[in-house]
Amino acid sequence: MDKTTRKVDGEIILFWALPFLALTWIVIFFLFPGFSPPMSPTMSADQVAAFYRDPENLPRIRYSMILFNWFGVGIITFLSLIVMQMKRMAHRTPILAYCYLGCSTGGPALFFLADLFWLMAAFRPERDPQLTQLFNDLAWISFTGQVGFIVAQCIFLALAIFLDRQDSPVFPRWVAHFNLLIAAAIAPAAFVAIALTGPLAWDGLLSFWLRNGAMALWLVVMTVVVGKTIYRQRTQEETAA
Amino acid sequence: MSLWHRVAWHCKNNPKIELWIMWWAMFCFYQLFGIVFALMTRVMPPPKPWWDHARIVQWFNDNHYGLLWGFGIIFLVAGITASMNALIAYSMTRMSVSRVFSYIYLAIYSLSTLPGMLLTAILLTVGALRPDRDPAIISWIYDAAFTGFVGTMGVFFIGTSVWMLAVLLDKNRVFPLWFGYLNICNLLTEIVVAPMWIFKEGPFAWNGVIAFWVDTLVFVVYTIAFITLLRRMIVREDFGDGPLPELEQRA
Amino acid sequence: MSNGTALNAARRVPGQIDIWYFVLIEAIIFSSYFITYMLYRVWESPLFLQSQVHLSQNFGALNTVILLVSSWLVAQAVQAAREQKFDAAQKLVMMTMACGVLFIISKIFEWSSKIHQGFEFSTNRFFSFYYFLTGIHVLHVLIGFIFLGVVIYQLRSPQRRSITVIESGAIFWHMVDFLWVIIFALLYVMR
Amino acid sequence: MSAIDKRLALVCLLLTGVTLLSWWLGNSHGSHAFALNAGITCSVILIAALKVRVIVWEFMELNRAPLRMQRIADALLASLIALLLTLYFSGRAA
């Protein structure tokens, strides 16, 4: 094989795209006026309409959500890198990797849906406030409540690590426990619609701060873990060659 | 041995544990799906398509907590659908057909969850979220949710056709031939349901005898059949207990 | 038939047993459609009778005869295949398919004349059932072409020629035939 | 022509004849015939049942199949026809 281009090199390029993507996500988070502080679900239709009509907010909503539209789905590259590592694990079937792959399209598709609803709400803010509120509700429920795929992903990865029974496993054991912990932290957000106030509401402690905090932490920790693993893989392939 | 010990033993020693976990996940998901959609949210059997605004608002009010909690559960467990798609895709890798069949199945069914289930759940959750919303908008949500739920056809139609073709072509008889034919019945239901986009009452409406009841019965029979057959496939699978083939190569 | 149990050992399932399960399930599903049709017919009897006037009895009878003849042809084909006359069998299956094509062409003519007269799928309940039942049946004719195609593929090469598969294809085609017989009676002729 | 071929031809002739009979039933009463008519309905449905049974027995060769299959087929056909006729007559009575 050609020494200069190993298969894993492509993965390393994809891996180093991640900090750039993460940077855009941070920008989106702070640019979107609905996140800092999170919009309250108790706002009336007129207040929601006024929020979108506010000349301070409107351009920030539009540009942040256009950015989100561009780069949000970029997470799939990272998730696919994890799939590649899962395929290296000592499993008898590829089924866990298939599960992870299935989830890695489902989750981002729902984020994308939320992004579209936000953009639609901002497209003609002068329309009937009831309609603006409807789009706003749809966006927040899709964004906050749709945690099923993320939770399942963490559990599938944890399972894969537990079942990876070899002398030098691909990921260390603690990554599995960490993923289960993150899954537990994200899970309550599924019940976001139960209340308009309190910790479960979409601006609440559990649904917004804990969930998004857990996802950010997951991203940071998994980046380090996956990065280390890919570089170790490269060294192994070099010595094997 | 207690149940807990048995489960622990299987996790440690059963070579088919990956498959069994996926099978049980699928099994539990369908139970949960039935409980949430039939008992908690009252989405199945569906309410009437000809109701006026006031009656629709009343339906949302009657089922307020059922909808919110029920779909909360669905949001939480939606990811399990991935495990059953993976199991079925895996079943196709065991057949004497090209891998392309399992990849098509995986791709189509990863997509199907969104229009077939989650979009309805999101819409109805938003509908139940604010009882004081304009009744005209609530009625729009209601229509969008039920037409989307009952009227999602293509993904299941193509997905079932691919599975059917794989089963009929398979020489290893992973699934019996009759199951291949049963797939034809299931994909025909996706055609039969189409008139629900045209009629607001009668046998072809979204709650009609033909478009809903007959189709749902066929789907239930089909689902029970493939859950049972997948179990049989896993039971027959023979991995042995030795080291994994790849690992031997690596060593 | 009198000493049926004694003969039971000599009896065999024609075709694959799997195709019979399929025929059973299809028969049950279609029965549910027929019963639904009858229910609505009883509830809205005058409407159904008035709308029925506009159907062409001649088309219906012609369709039935075409399908009966096609069934006869495919039954002969199976017989020929059993007697190792594979070329003859192939020709007979081709003729069966020609009958199927004829059936579909006559159906398209019938539908387009109805649409010209202003009777569409959503015109009234009777015509919904008319287009639904005939439509789903034509779909089965199309699926039948696939089955017959498999039969021809089997007949072509000496390496294949599995009698079981050939019989199964024929059984599906006969099912399409007998479903039409009931549809003809319910839609066109009954009062 | 073998015995089986003759038998098939006879069956086809019978079925076509019966079809023409029900076609005649549907046409014989002129254009004002589209009124409820239990006689026509009953005979047409029974003729259809007969045709189905003949197709299944002769063409699909159920006559040589195990008895259990025959019984299931007969039971299914009989219950469908019975249900259709019951519905029809209960509708007329109401």
Side-chain angles (χ1 to χ4, degrees), chain C residues 126-161:
Chain C
F126 177 79
F127 279 99
S128 304
F129 271 108
Y130 164 73
Y131 284 106
F132 173 73
L133 288 175
T134 52
I136 197 86
H137 179 264
V138 162
L139 207 63
H140 280 78
V141 176
L142 293 176
I143 299 174
F145 284 147
I146 301 175
F147 275 85
L148 292 183
V150 172
V151 170
I152 288 182
Y153 175 76
Q154 289 280 331
L155 288 169
R156 276 248 166 96
S157 157
Q159 277 102 53
R160 296 183 289 260
R161 291 186 181 163

Side-chain angles (χ1 to χ4, degrees), chain C residues 11-12 14 20 35 38 42 45 49 53 57-58 61 64 68 72 79 82 171 174 177 181 185 189-191, chain D residues 4 8-9 19 22-23 26-27 34-35 41 44 51 59-65 69-70 83 87-88 91:
Chain C
R11 291 167 178 276
R12 54 172 276 279
W20 284 99
I35 290 161
M38 198 54 122
V42 164
S45 169
L49 280 169
V53 178
Q57 303 283 321
N58 303 347
T64 316
L68 283 175
W72 176 44
Q79 201 49 45
R82 283 195 192 121
I171 286 169
H174 294 311
D177 184 15
V181 165
V189 202
M190 76 169 278
R191 296 286 180 270
Chain D
I4 295 172
L8 287 176
T19 306
S22 48
W23 173 69
N27 269 343
F34 285 86
T41 305
V44 159
K51 285 198 312 199
F59 286 164
M60 292 166 98
E61 299 179 324
L62 206 66
N63 53 3
R64 273 171 270 165
M69 281 172 73
Q70 294 183 344
L83 209 54
L87 279 175
Y88 180 78

Side-chain angles (χ1 to χ4, degrees), chain C residues 59-130:
Chain C
F59 257 122
L62 179 72
N63 286 164
T64 316
V65 173
I66 291 175
L67 277 188
L68 283 175
V69 170
S70 77
S71 249
W72 176 44
L73 289 169
V74 83
Q76 281 179 295
V78 170
Q79 201 49 45
R82 283 195 192 121
E83 291 161 9
Q84 311 280 322
K85 291 186 260 178
F86 294 109
D87 287 338
Q90 227 184 91
K91 254 180 224 144
L92 283 163
V93 178
M94 293 286 194
M95 280 155 75
T96 311
M97 281 179 134
C99 280
V101 172
L102 210 61
F103 178 84
I104 288 177
I105 291 173
S106 78
K107 218 67 265 146
I108 290 171
F109 265 113
E110 193 187 342
W111 280 337
S112 53
S113 82
K114 289 289 150 301
I115 291 169
H116 270 293
Q117 290 169 35
F119 302 112
E120 282 167 53
F121 188 41
S122 49
T123 301
N124 65 33
R125 188 92 77 216
F126 177 79
F127 279 99
S128 304
F129 271 108
Y130 164 73

Side-chain angles (χ1 to χ4, degrees), chain A residues 15 30 36 39 59 64 70-71 103 106 109 123 141 145 151 169-170 186 205 215 226:
Chain A
F15 174 77
F30 287 104
S36 43
M39 289 171 78
S64 63
W70 285 341
F71 296 113
C103 283
F123 183 66
I141 295 289
V151 169
V170 175
I186 289 175
L205 190 65
M215 290 208 307
V226 170

Side-chain angles (χ1 to χ4, degrees), chain A residues 53-163:
Chain A
R53 283 172 194 165
D54 186 344
E56 283 275 302
N57 286 340
L58 191 58
R60 286 176 61 194
I61 297 173
R62 284 173 175 165
Y63 295 129
S64 63
M65 283 301 136
I66 287 172
L67 274 178
F68 192 27
N69 200 312
W70 285 341
F71 296 113
V73 186
I75 188 72
I76 293 178
T77 58
F78 183 58
L79 298 176
S80 304
L81 287 181
I82 297 180
V83 172
M84 293 314 289
Q85 293 307 320
M86 286 172 81
K87 287 198 122 174
R88 292 175 62 221
M89 292 178 182
H91 298 145
R92 285 189 162 79
T93 66
I95 198 163
L96 281 159
Y98 283 0
C99 288
Y100 206 84
L101 197 63
C103 283
S104 67
T105 55
L110 287 157
F111 278 133
F112 200 82
L113 194 67
D115 169 79
L116 291 180
F117 284 135
W118 268 312
L119 280 172
M120 288 171 195
F123 183 66
R124 236 187 260 285
E126 66 274 17
R127 76 169 93 234
D128 178 5
Q130 286 275 352
L131 288 173
T132 307
Q133 188 191 34
L134 173 67
F135 277 121
N136 189 55
D137 286 346
L138 284 170
W140 275 98
I141 295 289
S142 322
F143 177 76
T144 312
Q146 300 307 312
V147 293
F149 288 109
I150 310 171
V151 169
Q153 228 160 24
C154 292
I155 295 174
F156 288 139
L157 182 58
L159 265 177
I161 295 171
F162 286 138
L163 295 174

Side-chain angles (χ1 to χ4, degrees), chain D residues 20-91:
Chain D
L20 292 178
L21 178 68
S22 48
W23 173 69
W24 175 78
L25 275 175
N27 269 343
S28 58
H29 297 268
S31 57
H32 55 90
F34 285 86
L36 280 178
N37 189 331
I40 291 184
T41 305
C42 216
S43 42
V44 159
I45 289 181
L46 288 177
I47 286 174
L50 176 79
K51 285 198 312 199
V52 171
R53 161 92 195 209
V54 169
I55 291 171
V56 175
W57 246 248
E58 297 296 328
F59 286 164
M60 292 166 98
E61 299 179 324
L62 206 66
N63 53 3
R64 273 171 270 165
L67 290 174
R68 229 172 104 205
M69 281 172 73
Q70 294 183 344
R71 286 199 195 110
I72 292 173
D74 271 343
L76 200 67
L77 182 60
S79 46
L80 172 67
I81 297 303
L83 209 54
L84 287 178
L85 287 177
T86 316
L87 279 175
Y88 180 78
F89 283 106
S90 67

